Amino acid sequence: RRTTWIILTRLMMPSARVAAAADTEIVDRARELRLAGRYSDALVTIGRAKDPADPEVAAEHAEILLETGKYAALDRVCASAGNDVRCRTLRAEGLRLRGKAAEATRMVEEVLADEPDFERARYLAATLLRDAGKREAAAEAFAWFFDHHAMNDLEDPEALTFVALASLRLAELMPDVEMEFRPAMKILDTVTGVKGRRGIDEDYLPAYAAKAEIYLAVYQDKSAKKEIKRGLARNPRHPMTLYLSALQKDFEWDTAGAIARCEEALSVNPAFAEPREFIATERIADRNFREAKELLDAVLVIDPSRRPARGLLGVIDFLNGDRKAFEARAKELLAENPKFGRVY
């Protein structure tokens, strides 16, 4: 019997290796499709994997689901991958986007206990601190990236992008401190490439989005427009880049174009809160409170705790003359986060 078991095991080993190799090809193809904005095709492709619980398969599947706002499916996929740090971090991101901050915080703390230098988890942990109004702790958490970059020869495009974004988040938390963004832009240039020099990964969309976001923060909307154009040339359906394009168009007073870009982003990711809030803000400016409220209510279905949407509902209360409702909402928001500024 032992001899038979050994023979069967050896016969099965080549087929297992073939299945693993096939899954690697499937992951690579799904990633290509996701980066090109072909999200439906990417989901079909990743669904053909022989071992959906394999961490590499599950992580790519989760990236597609996160980018398209399918958070319940994201939970299931990441849970199947067990203790994989990337899948657990992606799941925590999905929890945060649904307002489940306590669960997200607990999960990301567990990830960092296992892998303290995992940049994506570090960035999420800092973001959760910022969301909770813990400005000093959040600033310290974002500042960690500078020491980390100084002490390590980072070459991973995701890690480098988080280092660059940390400088922007730190500037937002410390508005009285003048921040220098040129080092951040040099870091991002190593990812995307610049004229005459190739980048580490010229198809890594978040790096173009990070550049655009930094340029918009310093009111260089023409430079932001160039980076948005470069990003959308690679993936014309990337939700974050489409939203940043909306903000850039708003700089040019192109409200109709900005709303159209927000609608494009929502067509890919209906759970994306910021584009709905942008459109709602424009509807409030037009005193179309009914449509604004419908948009904000849709945001709160996904994340009932989301403060920007609740703050905008407070604006509607105020403009409708319901001062009591406005004050109650403002009191509630400021009790949760004393630093929240959208209700003053």
Side-chain angles (χ1 to χ4, degrees), residues 35 185 188-199 201-205 207-209 211-212 215 222-236 238 241:
L35 292 175
M185 297 308 275
L188 292 169
D189 284 343
T190 67
V191 178
T192 64
V194 290
K195 195 172 183 180
R197 194 176 79 224
R198 290 194 62 80
D201 185 351
E202 295 181 13
D203 289 326
Y204 188 65
L205 268 293
Y208 295 99
K211 278 184 164 185
Y215 277 132
K222 287 184 172 58
S223 296
K225 190 174 185 176
K226 287 178 185 175
E227 297 303 332
I228 289 164
K229 186 177 180 181
R230 291 177 75 192
L232 291 178
R234 287 161 173 79
N235 179 354
H238 188 243
T241 308

Side-chain angles (χ1 to χ4, degrees), residues 6-23:
I6 291 170
I7 292 168
L8 286 170
T9 302
R10 287 178 178 171
L11 285 169
M12 289 167 66
M13 282 174 67
S15 64
R17 284 196 292 269
V18 168
D23 277 359

Side-chain angles (χ1 to χ4, degrees), residues 120-194:
R120 188 160 187 163
R122 281 276 183 179
Y123 190 84
L124 178 57
T127 302
L128 285 160
L129 289 168
R130 182 202 63 185
D131 291 348
K134 299 175 181 177
R135 295 171 75 93
E136 289 183 10
E140 187 177 332
F142 283 120
W144 173 89
F145 282 89
F146 308 139
D147 291 336
H148 179 61
H149 183 240
M151 291 187 293
N152 296 278
D153 187 17
L154 300 178
E155 292 185 351
D156 177 63
E158 181 179 82
L160 290 166
T161 300
F162 283 131
V163 172
L165 280 172
S167 65
L168 177 58
R169 300 287 92 90
L170 201 58
E172 292 167 347
L173 289 164
M174 304 170 68
D176 296 334
V177 177
E178 190 172 340
M179 296 290 290
E180 174 56 73
F181 289 115
R182 274 179 293 187
M185 297 308 275
K186 282 184 74 173
I187 289 168
L188 292 169
D189 284 343
T190 67
V191 178
T192 64
V194 290

Side-chain angles (χ1 to χ4, degrees), residues 225-303:
K225 190 174 185 176
K226 287 178 185 175
E227 297 303 332
I228 289 164
K229 186 177 180 181
R230 291 177 75 192
L232 291 178
R234 287 161 173 79
N235 179 354
R237 302 182 70 234
H238 188 243
M240 176 53 80
T241 308
L242 287 167
Y243 173 62
L244 291 169
S245 179
L247 297 183
Q248 190 277 324
K249 286 179 180 296
D250 197 43
F251 262 84
E252 297 178 333
W253 301 98
D254 181 4
T255 303
I259 289 172
R261 283 299 204 208
C262 285
E263 288 170 344
E264 284 182 67
L266 290 168
S267 73
V268 180
N269 182 352
F272 194 178
E274 283 86 343
R276 284 193 197 279
E277 289 164 348
F278 181 95
I279 299 170
T281 302
E282 295 301 328
R283 297 293 180 256
I284 290 169
D286 295 337
R287 301 193 70 84
N288 185 347
F289 300 143
R290 182 188 59 78
E291 191 174 337
K293 189 174 184 305
E294 286 174 1
L295 287 159
L296 297 168
D297 286 344
V299 171
L300 295 175
V301 167
I302 297 158
D303 178 359

Side-chain angles (χ1 to χ4, degrees), residues 45-68:
T45 300
I46 204 72
R48 294 186 182 126
K50 300 292 183 187
D51 183 6
D54 176 82
E56 292 294 320
V57 174
E60 180 54 38
H61 196 171
E63 291 278 14
I64 301 163
L65 295 168
L66 186 65
E67 220 159 285
T68 52

